[in-house]
């Protein structure tokens, strides 16, 4: 029977509140019958009706009015003559409703520079005597807010209204408050400094967007008698700096005094104020940051310095959650750390972030968990309370992204690697893609997500999360085409120039997202940014160059090079800039040709194909002897042209031989940084070097992925040797003489792409997996690998195993998709939707590939 499984509106299954006048719908189908596909669907919203032939990118073009619930009815027809129907809902937000509210603040308060401000608490008391049909509220702030209405915390999320390029766009949040309104009402809004006002960046900037916190809110009351009323922020609201939250800062932590009674503190009338810029204030289009897993300590011990240490067994981004039996005014101090050193918490990887929470108890049983901060940690050290009086747990907090991928194989170390990839993603998907969650940084470094986006999109549905961030990439592109190193460009002082890999986020990230979700709407939005960026790169590459080839070698202005490669330090990584920049330039042009083709821009396609070919030729002419050997050899300089298909087949194979030689010269170790690592194993395995690829993947001495796993990593380290092998005699524990590297950077976790795309073998061959391939690459003594991937069409599953020299595979193909499967022998077959099993005898050649 045909069934509509999920309908998505603006990429949400439920709870969509949008200001987009053309919301986008999509849906997935289920059927027990093989070879099922959609023939057509009729989509209805009120009087609006459209017949569509695709399950994605259905754009609503009817009329919408503010604050209204809409019903979407879909009737789908398949090729077997079966019909399915399903309904979904969405609500409009303010749309173009003008804000009558005024921004309110406390003008007499001037926060200290380089520090986060004292949280402001606002209060509004109001009466409501008529019978309410519906009441709702829209609220935003400069800073981050928590709203409490008559004792009910409305803000179940963290850090609302979220982090955007505030000068361009600011999200507001909608709350339905119908059920919370009484005769007498009290609304309390706490506004902490957050990103807009609080301390941010490693140079401790503060007040980056505004001098002090500001609040903007409107409450709407629709009465049963048909009348309507509004309560908006204005001078009648009260404000105080003497609320329970004494301090709130992303890096330094939070101080909360539970003894303070808001009824007894001094309140003043709020001041109205104006924003000096005009962001577009719009309904939230990203994902709220929420508490997800609850973690319990796996070990508790007393540290050398006397703190009681709770070990959660997992590095993550989050906040503690305490159940306390306290005495009035008892002060509890909680420090956070990722790692231990010599029996104490080590805070070196936090740099200047204090990551400390202070809680002042009231008398008796109480519960506390911070709301204006988060930390990257595995351990907490607690002082000021006896163990029997406190129960400690923690929440992992990250953006509300759906987990859509799973990978497992017969090697537990690789499974741990996959778990570390997932945890590094969660830790760094806190409203924007950050570099790390613990130290005085946590910024939207563009290079990190450039290299990690393919892996990230296998594990999570990032359509809204990346969609929001890519909007900021659009807003913040420089006039001359550069992309900031950090997006949102908040407190960042670097010039906005094109830089390989980092700026390539404007192409690599939407491309990864397109392959996963297939939304042309996103590609269309990003297209002008991509074009402008490549134009700028062309300019910088050809600057001061005269020969045809030299004009395509990208040397200027600044390159990060092979950032965090195991050899040398910053200068050594940067010296590799021109090889890496030129290869990324060719790759971006090549992807751009594909995108032009998808969007139907034939001339652009031709242009970028030609440009890409010229860059590839220049790379070979300038950097190699013409026979696949680089004049200046290093692994990344081979990996990129091989993986990016920059040469003819025979040169590529010769390059792969040279890459293999370099890997062997290091006794099967990698020497790649951020830019080469994602593609290293592909470059080998796709060119007859499956055994070398697996040997690198399984390598357990430094530098390698499994070295990290074997030495206690539960997330990815920023540097391969963050725990130095020199500490071998000391049992490989962390020593503060090691670097101050972070223990939670996802860039090297980009190897996850290889687990899904080669070991499990699942790869989209068109956007959103409408067509895909399953082509497992076996080796590494693995006897099974299984994986699933929830696509916009439904879930692909694949499980292969080897038993008694027989390779067998079970797999599922979703409705409306087509799969090309390739068995280890090279035999290929095509399948429409359904569940299938295939097997074959393994031949000798394949066994030779195994270790
Ligand atoms: C960040 C990186 C980032 C890099 C670029 C670092 O401080 O943590 O992940 O990409 O700077 O320079």
């Amino acid at each position: 029977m045909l069934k509509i499984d999920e309908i998505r509106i603006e990429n949400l299954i439920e709870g969509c509140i949008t200001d987009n006048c053309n919301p986008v719908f999509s849906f997935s189908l289920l059927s027990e019958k093989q070879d099922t596909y959609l023939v057509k669907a009729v989509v209805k919203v009120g009087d609006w009706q459209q017949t569509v032939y695709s399950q994605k990118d259905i754009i609503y073009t009817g009329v919408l009015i503010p604050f209204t619930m809409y019903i979407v009815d879909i009737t789908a027809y398949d090729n077997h003559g079966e019909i399915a129907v399903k309904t979904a809902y969405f609500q409009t937000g303010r749309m173009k409703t003008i804000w009558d509210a005024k921004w309110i603040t406390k003008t007499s308060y001037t926060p200290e520079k380089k520090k986060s401000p004292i949280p402001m608490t606002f209060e509004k008391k109001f009466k409501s005597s008529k019978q309410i049909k519906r009441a709702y509220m829209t609220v935003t702030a400069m800073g981050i807010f928590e709203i409490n209405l008559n004792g009910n915390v409305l803000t179940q999320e963290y850090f609302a209204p979220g982090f955007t390029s505030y000068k361009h766009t600011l999200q507001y949040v909608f709350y339905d408050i119908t059920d919370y309104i009484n005769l007498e009402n009290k609304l309390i809004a706490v506004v902490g400094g957050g990103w807009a006002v609080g301390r941010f960046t490693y140079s401790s900037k503060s007040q980056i967007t505004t001098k002090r916190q500001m609040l903007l809110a409107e409450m709407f009351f629709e009465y049963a008698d048909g009348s309507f009323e509004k309560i908006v922020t204005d001078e009648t609201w009260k404000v105080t700096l003497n609320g329970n939250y004494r301090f709130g800062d992303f890096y330094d932590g939070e101080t909360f005094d539970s003894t303070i009674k808001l009824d007894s503190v001094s309140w003043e009338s709020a001041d109205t104020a104006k924003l000096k810029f005009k962001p577009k204030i719009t309904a939230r289009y990203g994902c709220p940051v929420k508490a997800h897993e609850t973690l319990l300590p796996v070990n508790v011990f007393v540290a050398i310095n006397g703190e009681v240490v709770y070990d959660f067994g997992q590095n993550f981004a989050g906040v503690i959650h305490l159940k306390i039996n306290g005495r009035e005014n008892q002060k509890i101090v909680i420090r956070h750390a990722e790692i231990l050193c010599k029996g104490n918490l080590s805070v070196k990887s936090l740099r200047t972030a204090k990551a400390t929470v202070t809680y002042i108890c009231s008398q008796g049983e109480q519960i506390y968990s911070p709301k204006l901060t988060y930390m990257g940690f595995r351990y907490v050290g607690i002082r000021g309370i006896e163990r029997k009086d406190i129960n400690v747990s923690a929440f992992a907090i990250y953006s509300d992204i759906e987990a859509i991928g799973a990978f497992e194989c017969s090697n537990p170390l690789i499974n741990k690697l996959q778990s570390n990839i997932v945890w590094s993603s969660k830790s760094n998907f806190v409203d924007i893609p950050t570099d790390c969650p613990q130290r005085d940084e946590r910024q939207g470094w563009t290079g990190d997500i450039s290299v990690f986006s393919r892996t990230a999109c296998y594990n999570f549905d990032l359509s809204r999360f990346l969609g929001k961030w890519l909007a900021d990439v659009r807003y913040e592109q420089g006039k001359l085409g550069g992309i900031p190193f950090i997006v949102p460009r908040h407190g960042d002082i670097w010039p906005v120039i094109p830089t390989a890999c980092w700026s390539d986020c404007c192409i690599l990230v939407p491309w990864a997202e397109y392959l996963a979700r297939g939304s042309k709407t996103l590609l269309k939005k990003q297209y002008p940014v991509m074009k402008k960026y490549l134009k700028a790169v062309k300019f910088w590459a050809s600057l001061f160059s005269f020969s045809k080839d030299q004009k395509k070698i990208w040397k200027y202005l600044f390159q990060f090079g092979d950032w965090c490669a195991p050899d040398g330090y910053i200068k050594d990584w940067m010296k590799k800039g021109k090889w890496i920049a030129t290869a990324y330039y060719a790759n971006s042009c090549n992807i751009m040709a594909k995108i032009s083709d998808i969007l139907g821009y034939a001339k652009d396609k031709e242009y970028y194909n030609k440009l890409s070919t010229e860059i590839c030729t220049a790379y070979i002419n300038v950097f190699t002897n013409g026979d696949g050997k680089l004049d200046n050899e290093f692994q990344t300089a081979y990996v990129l042209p091989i993986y990016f298909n920059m040469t003819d087949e025979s040169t590529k194979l010769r390059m792969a031989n040279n890459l293999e030689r370099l890997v062997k010269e290091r006794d099967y170790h990698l020497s790649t940084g951020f830019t080469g690592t994602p593609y290293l194993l592909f470059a080998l395995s796709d060119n007859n070097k499956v055994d070398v690829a697996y040997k690198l993947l399984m390598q357990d001495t430094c530098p390698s992925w499994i070295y990290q796993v074997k030495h206690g990593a539960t997330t990815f380290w920023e540097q391969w040797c963050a725990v130095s092998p020199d500490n071998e005699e000391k049992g490989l524990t962390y020593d503060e003489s090691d670097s101050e590297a972070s223990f939670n950077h996802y860039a090297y976790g980009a190897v996850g792409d290889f687990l899904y795309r080669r070991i499990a073998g699942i790869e989209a061959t068109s956007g959103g997996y409408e067509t895909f391939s399953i082509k497992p690459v076996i080796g590494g003594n693995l006897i099974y690998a299984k994986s699933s991937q929830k696509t916009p069409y439904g879930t692909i599953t694949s499980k292969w195993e080897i038993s008694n020299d027989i390779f067998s595979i079970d797999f599922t193909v979703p409705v409306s998709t087509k799969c090309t499967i390739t068995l280890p022998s090279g035999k290929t077959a095509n399948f429409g939707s359904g569940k299938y099993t295939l097997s074959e005898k393994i031949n000798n050649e394949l066994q030779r590939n195994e270790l």
Side-chain angles (χ1 to χ4, degrees):
M1 212 178 66
L2 186 70
K3 203 179 144 210
I4 299 179
D5 189 24
E6 286 177 347
I7 298 179
R8 284 172 191 265
I9 298 164
E10 293 286 275
N11 291 312
L12 282 179
I13 298 171
E14 55 184 27
C16 175
I17 295 164
T18 184
D19 279 349
N20 184 357
C21 14
N22 301 110
V24 181
F25 313 146
S26 62
F27 62 95
S28 58
L29 295 170
L30 290 175
S31 167
E32 292 111 35
K33 290 203 173 134
Q34 275 190 358
D35 292 319
T36 304
Y37 53 87
L38 177 85
V39 172
K40 66 166 187 182
V42 178
V43 184
K44 277 191 201 168
V45 180
D47 295 341
W48 182 86
Q49 176 170 327
Q50 195 162 327
T51 302
V52 298
Y53 304 92
S54 162
Q55 292 170 222
K56 299 185 273 91
D57 282 321
I58 303 163
I59 301 177
Y60 175 76
T61 51
V63 177
L64 291 177
I65 53 169
F67 299 120
T68 306
M69 176 75 88
Y70 287 88
I71 302 172
V72 182
D73 281 315
I74 301 187
T75 310
Y77 303 80
D78 74 10
N79 55 317
H80 304 298
E82 293 193 350
I83 301 175
V85 288
K86 189 163 175 134
T87 299
Y89 305 86
F90 71 96
Q91 263 189 76
T92 45
R94 303 179 64 94
M95 310 293 289
K96 292 202 167 100
T97 310
I98 308 258
W99 288 84
D100 292 328
K102 296 175 184 159
W103 284 98
I104 53 170
T105 185
K106 181 174 163 54
T107 317
S108 58
Y109 174 52
T110 306
E112 249 180 273
K113 286 266 177 202
K114 291 189 173 278
K115 290 217 164 113
S116 282
I118 302 170
M120 282 184 190
T121 305
F122 295 91
E123 183 195 72
K124 176 71 186 172
K125 290 183 176 159
F126 59 96
K127 291 196 173 134
S128 171
S129 49
K130 289 203 224 172
Q131 199 192 334
I132 289 180
K133 196 171 104 200
R134 183 182 176 218
Y136 45 93
M137 177 176 188
T138 58
V139 50
T140 190
M142 283 288 120
I144 50 175
F145 64 78
E146 186 190 59
I147 309 269
N148 186 311
L149 177 58
N150 297 328
N152 305 291
V153 179
L154 301 182
T155 335
Q156 293 305 323
E157 65 205 272
Y158 290 75
F159 320 139
F163 190 15
T164 47
S165 175
Y166 294 126
K167 302 233 154 118
H168 297 93
T169 180
L170 175 65
Q171 301 178 113
Y172 69 81
V173 186
F174 174 98
Y175 297 109
D176 190 319
I177 52 173
T178 317
D179 295 341
Y180 303 120
I181 302 292
N182 303 327
L183 283 178
E184 306 264 332
N185 299 281
K186 184 160 80 174
L187 183 134
I188 299 288
V190 174
V191 186
W195 294 281
V197 194
R199 167 158 102 96
F200 198 59
T201 81
Y202 47 78
S203 43
S204 282
K205 300 243 167 92
S206 65
Q207 304 164 32
I208 295 172
T209 316
T210 51
K211 272 204 171 134
R212 53 184 76 81
Q213 302 96 301
M214 296 163 86
L215 178 72
L216 185 75
E218 295 196 343
M219 281 181 269
F220 300 77
F221 302 89
E222 292 172 14
Y223 295 111
D225 64 7
S227 61
F228 178 82
E229 207 180 347
K230 236 170 140 180
I231 293 180
V232 303
T233 43
D234 59 16
E235 304 83 347
T236 64
W237 290 51
K238 302 275 180 231
V239 64
T240 184
L241 292 179
N242 301 322
N244 301 94
Y245 287 91
R246 307 303 315 135
F247 179 70
D249 175 289
F250 283 132
Y251 302 149
D252 289 342
E254 181 173 295
T255 302
F256 188 93
D257 186 344
S258 70
T259 64
I260 292 174
K261 306 271 173 287
L262 286 182
D263 287 339
S264 335
V265 303
S266 56
W267 293 91
E268 287 166 38
S269 296
D271 303 305
T272 60
K274 285 221 153 63
L275 267 192
K276 294 209 171 85
F277 47 93
K278 284 206 160 46
K280 184 173 176 214
I281 305 180
T282 185
R284 174 173 33 224
Y285 53 97
C287 312
V289 174
K290 289 199 167 158
H292 295 264
E293 294 86 349
T294 300
L295 286 90
L296 300 175
V298 293
N299 189 19
V300 184
F301 61 92
V302 180
I304 308 283
N305 67 8
E307 270 172 339
V308 181
V309 174
Y310 293 77
D311 173 5
F312 291 98
Q314 175 63 55
N315 201 16
F316 65 106
V319 286
I320 38 136
H321 180 260
L322 307 177
K323 283 188 190 148
I324 300 165
N325 184 12
R327 293 185 318 276
E328 181 90 0
N329 282 322
Q330 183 178 1
K331 182 172 161 188
I332 306 173
V333 179
I334 305 112
R335 299 193 309 137
H336 300 67
E338 294 186 290
I339 197 149
L340 299 174
C341 180
K342 300 191 175 93
N344 288 321
L345 301 190
S346 169
V347 293
K348 195 171 174 190
S349 70
L350 309 183
R351 301 206 296 218
T352 70
K354 292 197 186 72
T356 301
V357 165
T358 306
Y359 179 74
I360 314 290
C361 301
S362 37
Q363 190 63 36
E365 305 270 319
Q366 51 214 291
I367 289 179
Y368 166 68
S369 185
K371 280 305 278 285
L372 302 180
T373 188
Y374 76 98
M375 325 283 181
F377 66 106
R378 169 176 167 168
Y379 303 92
V380 292
I382 303 192
R383 283 181 196 274
I385 188 160
E386 284 184 47
R387 266 163 81 169
K388 66 173 178 44
D389 289 328
I390 190 164
N391 183 306
V392 182
S393 59
F395 298 141
I397 67 168
Y398 48 90
S399 293
D400 215 5
I401 46 179
E402 185 187 350
I404 53 162
F407 174 89
E408 186 195 306
C409 69
S410 54
N411 185 329
L413 293 167
I414 303 295
N415 294 340
K416 183 67 185 159
L417 192 77
Q418 165 66 11
S419 159
N420 292 1
I421 293 169
V422 169
W423 275 106
S424 272
S425 313
K426 291 175 175 175
S427 314
N428 283 298
F429 289 161
V430 180
D431 210 45
I432 59 153
T434 61
D435 55 339
C436 55
Q438 75 295 81
R439 68 184 180 214
D440 50 4
E441 211 159 356
R442 314 185 195 184
Q443 292 169 281
W445 280 97
T446 50
D448 304 47
I449 190 66
S450 274
V451 297
F452 190 63
S453 49
R454 286 291 295 260
T455 299
C457 289
Y458 269 109
N459 287 312
F460 296 98
D461 176 350
L462 296 175
S463 42
R464 285 179 70 97
F465 177 79
L466 288 177
K468 163 174 155 295
W469 185 75
L470 285 168
D472 287 343
V473 171
R474 280 201 302 277
Y475 297 133
E476 300 205 325
Q477 179 171 41
K479 283 205 174 66
L480 299 175
I483 305 287
F485 297 163
I486 295 164
V487 175
R489 192 171 180 257
H490 195 71
D492 164 35
I493 44 155
W494 301 96
V496 182
I497 46 163
T499 305
C501 181
W502 273 251
S503 304
D504 283 296
C505 72
C506 72
I507 294 173
L508 297 176
V509 177
W511 181 238
E513 174 53 28
Y514 172 76
L515 289 173
R517 317 287 322 158
S519 165
K520 285 190 195 173
T521 317
L522 176 74
L523 289 184
K524 265 189 208 147
K525 276 191 203 157
Q526 298 303 125
Y527 195 76
V529 178
M530 303 174 182
K531 259 186 108 158
K532 196 166 164 187
Y533 164 65
L534 285 177
K535 192 172 168 199
V537 177
K538 192 169 178 225
F539 169 81
W540 287 107
S542 59
L543 196 67
F544 307 127
S545 298
F546 302 101
S547 77
K548 192 173 177 217
D549 282 341
Q550 280 297 341
K551 276 180 193 271
K552 299 289 173 298
I553 302 294
W554 183 10
K555 305 162 277 291
Y556 306 115
L557 197 54
F558 168 89
Q559 300 295 348
F560 288 106
D562 208 8
W563 193 255
C564 289
D567 300 335
Y569 204 53
I570 296 182
K571 272 193 187 153
D572 308 282
W573 306 334
M574 288 174 56
K575 269 190 207 148
K576 297 174 179 163
K578 64 181 174 185
W579 289 264
I580 290 160
T582 306
Y584 268 79
Y585 177 25
N587 183 47
S588 281
C589 288
N590 185 28
I591 295 175
M592 194 57 178
K594 291 183 190 154
I595 296 174
S596 312
D597 190 31
I598 291 163
L599 298 181
Y601 306 136
K603 269 197 175 159
D604 282 3
K605 176 187 166 190
E606 204 181 307
Y607 171 81
Y608 290 112
N609 266 334
K610 185 165 169 276
L611 184 55
S612 170
T613 310
E614 285 168 6
I615 305 163
C616 296
T617 310
Y619 191 97
I620 301 303
N621 289 350
V622 175
F623 296 139
T624 76
N625 67 355
D627 201 25
K629 186 167 181 306
L630 288 159
D631 301 332
N632 181 358
E633 292 188 300
F634 58 100
Q635 288 183 13
T636 298
Y638 279 120
V639 168
L640 300 181
I642 296 172
Y643 177 77
F644 294 158
N645 272 317
M646 291 172 64
T647 70
D648 58 65
E649 279 306 301
S650 67
T651 312
K652 189 156 81 171
L653 288 178
R654 279 195 291 277
M655 282 191 147
N657 289 338
N658 287 319
L659 173 62
E660 177 183 26
R661 176 174 47 78
L662 295 190
V663 169
K664 284 186 175 165
E665 279 169 13
R666 288 181 170 251
D667 195 19
Y668 290 95
H669 286 90
L670 50 75
S671 69
T672 50
F674 278 23
T675 49
T677 301
Y679 314 118
L680 171 63
L681 301 185
F682 291 95
L684 291 162
S685 75
D686 293 358
N687 293 288
N688 300 332
K689 312 221 176 296
V690 172
D691 50 346
V692 185
Y694 268 108
K695 220 165 166 171
L696 274 182
L697 176 64
M698 307 287 185
Q699 176 61 264
D700 63 0
T701 55
C702 192
S704 71
W705 290 282
I706 301 298
Y707 170 79
Q708 297 193 4
V709 170
K710 280 203 164 166
H711 295 99
T714 57
T715 45
F716 275 85
W717 304 342
E718 179 181 18
Q719 288 180 19
W720 292 112
C721 312
V723 174
S724 156
D726 300 343
N727 297 340
E728 202 93 56
E729 303 95 65
K730 291 180 255 160
L732 264 161
T733 50
Y734 173 67
D735 189 300
E736 287 190 346
S737 62
D738 286 342
S739 78
E740 60 174 22
S742 127
F743 289 91
N744 206 347
H745 255 65
Y746 51 49
Y748 296 140
V751 68
D753 187 17
F754 185 81
L755 308 186
Y756 280 101
R757 241 191 323 150
R758 290 297 179 266
I759 300 185
I762 302 175
E763 178 161 18
T765 48
S766 64
Y769 295 83
E770 191 169 352
T771 59
F772 65 96
S773 56
I774 299 181
K775 188 181 178 188
V777 172
I778 62 173
N781 280 333
L782 296 180
I783 54 166
Y784 82 86
K786 63 176 184 181
S787 180
S788 63
Q789 186 65 38
K790 184 171 172 190
T791 77
Y793 295 95
T795 302
I796 300 170
T797 64
S798 163
K799 180 179 181 194
W800 63 258
E801 64 185 316
I802 298 170
S803 168
N804 298 327
D805 283 352
I806 304 283
F807 171 91
S808 59
I809 184 161
D810 298 334
F811 59 101
T812 317
V813 181
V815 171
S816 299
T817 69
K818 286 202 170 68
C819 169
T820 302
I821 184 145
T822 307
L823 297 178
S825 63
K827 273 186 224 138
T828 302
N830 296 319
F831 293 87
S833 74
K835 286 185 192 304
Y836 308 92
T837 299
L838 297 174
S839 61
E840 68 174 12
K841 204 158 172 41
I842 295 208
N843 65 28
N844 291 334
E845 202 187 324
L846 286 166
Q847 280 170 350
R848 269 214 312 276
N849 274 337
E850 291 189 39
L851 295 174

